[in-house]
């Protein structure tokens, strides 16, 4: 067998449409994925089939054509824009005499390049090991010829078993470390739940502009770049809403993509938990993308896979600055609830509409109260200014305050349930 190259930079891309024609958007995305992984693209091959070939995926004729292209371009790596079985990868490597990976392997490599935090690196390593566990035999095929020799029987199999055992032990270790990190994240979420602070998660297709919108809303300064999977590690920031609406925690999360590897979904379970446990999802959509609806469907599919499809969502159509004469606007349904915001996170156009939509959504859980506070109720008055909306306030004859406020009943009862006025309100509501 050949010696597997280490660099893997001179790359040929292979796209095979199964039962359909290739879409221009899918071709462009595949090229961007390869460039994001650091590949030097020296050639590409496109084909179509009714169904994949069980042995070589693209069939023997196309495999020979691909081999000639590999030799002509001195390619070190061939990347398929499709999920290959371990057997198909091995068979293709024998024919092409160079390294072969599929779309899942390519995305995993990008994640490995972009991971910065300790948790992100653990998650990526776990996903890579799970992907590698089905492909271990490929690395030891050069020992297969030793099986029958006297005194040499079985070294290849023994080494393979050793690798599997070591890989399994490392996976167990990574799962334990990630479980401890997930426990800490759960503690943070429980603390936010006790404080009645809602969580809003940004979700969407990769490179839709989630981090740019996150920075525009929170001034967090997280990395924003015109590239696929610029964000892997979740970032949380407090966001103050206008018009007396309660403050929320805004979470920037990893972007989704079509055919997202299942190994990544499993490994990033603690990161994706911010999405699963959110009170509201802001689905950020690239309004300028030609295949916009397909990307929306891909995100919805991933949300269903992680159990977040039932969470309410507000659609954010971003990048309207790339459209002709598309002003910022807020679309509402028949009940007056905001459903869609058109904005540009890069220029800031429409950001006020987004904040208005969020404030309107979370004010829906608030109730109006009229109360008379005594002079000694200054702490409650200050709390109402922080957590509620003061509609009207006048000094009372007794030296206190007459107030009309809007505030969350659950939040009011949690923090001031022992206050006589709050007790009377709770009893009145129960009656």
């Amino acid at each position: 067998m050949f010696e597997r190259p280490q660099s893997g930079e001179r790359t040929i891309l292979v796209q095979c449409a199964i039962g359909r024609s290739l879409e221009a958007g899918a071709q462009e995305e595949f090229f961007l994925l390869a460039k994001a992984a650091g590949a030097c693209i020296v050639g590409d091959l496109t084909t179509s089939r009714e169904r994949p070939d069980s042995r070589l995926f693209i069939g023997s004729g196309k495999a020979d054509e691909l081999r000639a292209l590999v030799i002509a371009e001195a390619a070190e790596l061939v990347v398929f824009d499709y999920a290959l079985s371990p057997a198909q990868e091995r068979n293709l490597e024998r024919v092409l005499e160079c390294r072969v990976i599929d779309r899942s392997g390519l995305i995993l490599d990008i994640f490995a390049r972009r991971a910065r935090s300790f948790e992100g690196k653990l998650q990526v390593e776990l996903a890579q090991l799970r992907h590698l566990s089905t492909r271990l035999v490929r690395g030891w095929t050069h020992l297969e010829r030793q099986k029958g020799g006297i005194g040499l029987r079985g070294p290849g199999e023994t080494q393979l078993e050793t690798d599997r055992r070591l890989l399994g032990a490392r996976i167990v270790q990574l799962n334990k470390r990630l479980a401890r990190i997930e426990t800490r994240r759960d503690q943070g979420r429980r603390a936010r739940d006790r404080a009645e602070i809602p969580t809003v998660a940004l979700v969407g297709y990769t490179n839709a502009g989630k981090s740019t919108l996150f920075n525009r809303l929170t001034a967090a300064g997280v990395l924003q770049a015109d590239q696929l999977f610029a964000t892997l590690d979740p970032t949380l920031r407090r966001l103050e809403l206008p018009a007396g609406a309660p403050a929320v925690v805004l979470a920037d999360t990893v972007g989704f993509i079509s055919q997202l590897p299942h190994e990544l979904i499993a490994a990033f379970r603690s990161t994706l938990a911010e999405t699963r446990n959110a009170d509201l999802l802001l689905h950020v959509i690239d309004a300028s993308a030609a295949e916009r609806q397909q990307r929306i469907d891909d995100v919805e599919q991933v949300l269903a896979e992680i159990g977040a499809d039932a969470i309410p969502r507000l659609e954010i159509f971003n990048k309207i600055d790339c459209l002709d004469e598309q002003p910022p606007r807020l679309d509402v349904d028949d009940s007056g609830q905001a459903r869609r915001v058109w904005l540009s996170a890069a220029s800031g156009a429409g950001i006020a509409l987004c904040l208005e939509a969020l404030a309107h959504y979370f004010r829906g859980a608030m109730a109006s109260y009229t109360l008379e506070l005594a002079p000694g109720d200054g702490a409650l008055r200050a709390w109402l200014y922080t957590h509620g909306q003061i509609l009207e306030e006048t000094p009372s004859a007794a030296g206190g305050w007459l107030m009309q406020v809007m505030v969350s009943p659950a939040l009011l009862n949690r923090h001031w349930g022992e206050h006589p006025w709050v007790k009377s309100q709770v009893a009145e509501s129960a009656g």
Side-chain angles (χ1 to χ4, degrees), residues 285-326:
I285 301 162
D286 183 354
S288 65
E291 61 283 359
R292 187 172 70 192
Q293 187 57 50
Q294 180 60 47
R295 293 186 175 186
I296 293 174
D297 295 341
D298 290 335
V299 171
E300 292 294 336
Q301 181 179 349
V302 176
L303 290 175
E305 288 183 28
I306 66 175
D309 51 327
I311 299 175
R313 60 196 56 130
L314 173 65
E315 291 183 339
I316 306 295
F317 280 75
N318 189 25
K319 302 186 181 182
I320 62 170
D321 51 312
C322 299
L323 301 177
D324 293 333
E325 299 181 357
Q326 175 60 61

Side-chain angles (χ1 to χ4, degrees), residues 171-202:
I171 288 177
V172 170
Q173 185 183 37
L174 290 174
N175 277 321
K176 288 181 179 179
R177 290 184 179 181
L178 287 170
R180 289 196 293 269
I181 295 175
E182 189 170 0
T183 300
R184 290 198 293 270
R185 285 190 178 277
D186 288 340
Q187 290 172 346
R189 279 191 292 269
R190 286 195 295 270
R192 294 197 298 270
D193 290 341
R194 287 193 298 270
E196 298 287 348
I197 301 177
T199 300
V200 179
L202 295 172

Side-chain angles (χ1 to χ4, degrees), residues 50 69 84 134 140 157 161 164 166 181 202 223 235 244 259 267 308 316 348 362 366 370 383 392 401 404 416-417 423:
E50 285 299 319
L69 183 60
L84 300 176
T134 60
W140 292 101
E157 295 174 345
E161 291 171 358
R164 282 175 175 160
L166 293 174
I181 295 175
L202 295 172
L223 173 66
T235 306
Q259 302 178 52
I316 306 295
F362 287 104
M366 302 173 76
T370 301
W383 184 91
E392 186 179 350
W401 304 272
Q404 184 177 358
W416 295 93
K423 278 187 174 180

Side-chain angles (χ1 to χ4, degrees), residues 256-275:
F256 301 148
I257 198 168
S258 61
Q259 302 178 52
L260 189 66
H262 292 285
E263 296 93 346
L264 277 176
I265 295 176
F268 276 69
R269 64 183 185 278
S270 60
T271 299
L272 295 173
E274 299 295 347
T275 302

Side-chain angles (χ1 to χ4, degrees), residues 10-61:
R10 293 185 61 82
T11 305
I12 292 176
L13 305 182
V14 179
Q15 287 185 288
C16 182
I18 303 299
R20 57 178 175 80
S21 59
L22 284 174
E23 299 177 359
Q27 289 180 290
E28 181 184 1
E29 180 182 271
F30 186 38
F31 273 76
L32 290 175
L33 278 172
K35 288 185 175 297
C40 175
I41 303 172
V42 297
D44 66 280
L45 178 71
T46 59
T47 183
S48 61
R49 292 180 62 89
E50 285 299 319
R51 61 183 63 85
D53 180 73
S54 59
R55 192 173 72 89
L56 296 172
F57 188 80
I58 55 175
S60 57

